[in-house]
Amino acid sequence: MPRDGGHRGAMHPRPEPVIALHRRREHGGLPIDDRKLARALRDRTHVRVVPGSYVAARDWRALTPIDRHDVRIVEAVDRAQGAVTLCCFAAAAVWGIDQVAAWPQTVDVLVPRTSGGRSSGVFRRRTSTSGDLETAEWRGHRITTPAQTALDLARISGFTSGVIALDQVLWRRRAGGPLTSLDRLASTLEVDARSRGRARARAALEFSTDLSDSVRESEGRVLIEALGFPPPVLQKRFTLPSGRLADVDYYFEDFDHVAEFDGVGKYLDPALLAGRTPEEALIAEKDRGDELQRAVRAFSRWRTPAHRDPRLLYDILSGAGLPSRRPRPPAGLIFR
């Protein structure tokens, strides 16, 4: 059986998303207008979260991808026959370990290998013969701890996804503090007897950091290394001529070169806007960028397309004078 993770001080599941759900089980056996429901699903005014649970499409679209998966998890486990143990992507959503890839349509649960790994319905059954997997209590069920969850994702995913997961649990500026520590991750990996994916998880752990403020920053850091550029200093703080402080994503110290991923969230997310209009946020970011450009020798900025096509990122950085030990990658190359 999985062991209790203990070490609860740093573990805190994020608040569950608030959304109005329509559930068959709440009708107390009264008849449902199936024809009306089918029309709502066909017209896409409503979305099926799991069988028997539905939500207005506009409310569903307003949620972030990780929040949508979190809602699906809660609806699935609340109708489960007996207790379950969440793991992998399901556990990641509950803990707030974000990712860049699409979230699955099924909910990951851990089962002993002797019970079989066949998945059906809303659950994806992931088997394990190890009795040393760390778990904690959650809503009357069990869930793998943040350390175990991040390492499991690193085992089953590519290097980039593994680094993103590990960076997320170590993130020092997370509200409420990091979900775990580097020492905890190392000890959790050490006692996990499974050999599959172990080397992959160890490599991702060695590359991880507590300084990446977003999944895209983590992804960018992996790409910078894969493209042969020198390792940057992360979250370097500059005091700009205006007196404002600027913490930059990447700083290549030997070349006095600042580089940043420019995500659109800062112009659209109400929490990041902090009462400003998108236009005000855009102007403020432009002023910040102009000041940074005057403060350093070179300045690079890119958006998501440069992660999807690494040649774009290579051209942006090398075009600004940053040297690489590798040639420009061929078209279609994807680093995983």
Side-chain angles (χ1 to χ4, degrees):
M1 292 295 293
R3 62 192 176 94
D4 192 291
H7 187 63
R8 286 188 173 83
M11 300 192 302
H12 31 262
R14 67 198 187 95
E16 292 173 7
V18 178
I19 190 170
L21 286 149
H22 308 279
R23 304 179 180 96
R24 279 184 175 273
R25 67 179 183 271
E26 293 176 350
H27 284 261
L30 296 175
I32 302 294
D33 190 337
D34 288 318
R35 192 173 297 176
K36 184 177 180 181
L37 175 60
R39 184 167 59 250
L41 293 173
R42 186 175 61 251
D43 295 343
R44 299 185 180 180
T45 61
H46 281 71
V47 174
R48 179 185 285 110
V49 179
V50 297
S53 295
Y54 309 88
V55 63
R58 63 179 179 278
D59 295 337
W60 188 249
R61 289 193 296 267
L63 295 178
T64 62
I66 189 173
D67 278 345
R68 291 176 201 153
H69 198 55
D70 204 352
V71 170
R72 178 172 282 117
I73 292 162
V74 172
E75 290 301 296
V77 300
D78 280 357
R79 63 195 290 274
Q81 301 296 316
V84 300
T85 299
L86 297 183
C87 65
C88 299
F89 293 103
V94 171
W95 292 120
I97 304 169
D98 211 347
Q99 60 171 8
V100 295
W103 289 89
Q105 297 298 305
T106 51
V107 175
D108 290 326
V109 292
L110 185 67
V111 297
R113 188 172 295 278
T114 53
S115 67
R118 198 168 201 179
S119 302
S120 61
V122 73
F123 290 109
R124 175 172 180 174
R125 295 154 62 90
R126 293 186 179 271
T127 60
S128 175
T129 56
S130 176
D132 292 321
L133 303 188
E134 291 185 346
T135 67
E137 185 180 0
W138 176 78
R139 289 174 59 94
H141 300 274
R142 305 295 296 180
I143 182 173
T144 52
T145 64
Q148 187 71 66
T149 301
L151 289 168
D152 286 348
L153 291 177
R155 283 177 179 273
I156 66 175
S157 305
F159 179 74
T160 301
S161 295
V163 169
I164 289 172
L166 291 160
D167 282 1
Q168 286 275 295
V169 295
L170 289 170
W171 182 28
R172 66 168 63 177
R173 295 205 284 199
R174 176 185 289 273
L179 293 174
T180 191
S181 67
L182 190 60
D183 287 344
R184 186 70 181 185
L185 286 163
S187 63
T188 300
L189 181 61
E190 183 65 28
V191 300
D192 191 338
R194 296 173 297 172
S195 59
R196 184 178 180 183
R198 185 181 184 86
R200 187 160 52 240
R202 187 178 298 281
L205 182 58
E206 290 174 354
F207 194 76
S208 64
T209 179
D210 62 357
L211 291 172
S212 282
D213 279 350
S214 73
V215 293
R216 290 299 183 186
E217 286 183 28
S218 296
E219 183 181 44
R221 191 165 61 88
V222 173
L223 284 173
I224 287 168
E225 167 63 23
L227 291 171
F229 293 106
V233 174
L234 305 179
Q235 305 303 327
K236 168 75 173 179
R237 173 163 289 183
F238 287 85
T239 301
L240 302 177
S242 65
R244 80 166 84 181
L245 299 177
D247 295 336
V248 302
D249 298 343
Y250 317 103
Y251 179 58
F252 301 93
E253 198 164 20
D254 290 345
F255 305 94
D256 195 25
H257 185 151
V258 163
E260 294 200 304
F261 174 81
D262 188 22
V264 298
K266 68 184 73 172
Y267 311 117
L268 301 175
D269 188 337
L272 297 177
L273 286 173
R276 300 175 299 174
T277 66
E279 291 79 8
E280 289 171 336
L282 181 61
I283 292 171
E285 186 63 24
K286 183 181 184 307
D287 290 344
R288 174 182 176 277
D290 289 344
E291 284 195 82
L292 276 169
Q293 283 184 295
R294 292 191 292 268
V296 295
R297 187 183 305 164
F299 180 81
S300 298
R301 176 176 278 173
W302 63 88
R303 293 178 58 196
T304 305
H307 285 189
R308 294 174 181 155
D309 182 355
R311 293 178 305 165
L312 298 178
L313 182 55
Y314 187 94
D315 292 345
I316 289 168
L317 292 173
S318 60
L322 192 66
S324 172
R325 64 184 184 275
R326 293 178 181 167
R328 185 174 188 262
L333 180 65
I334 298 176
F335 296 101
R336 300 194 184 279

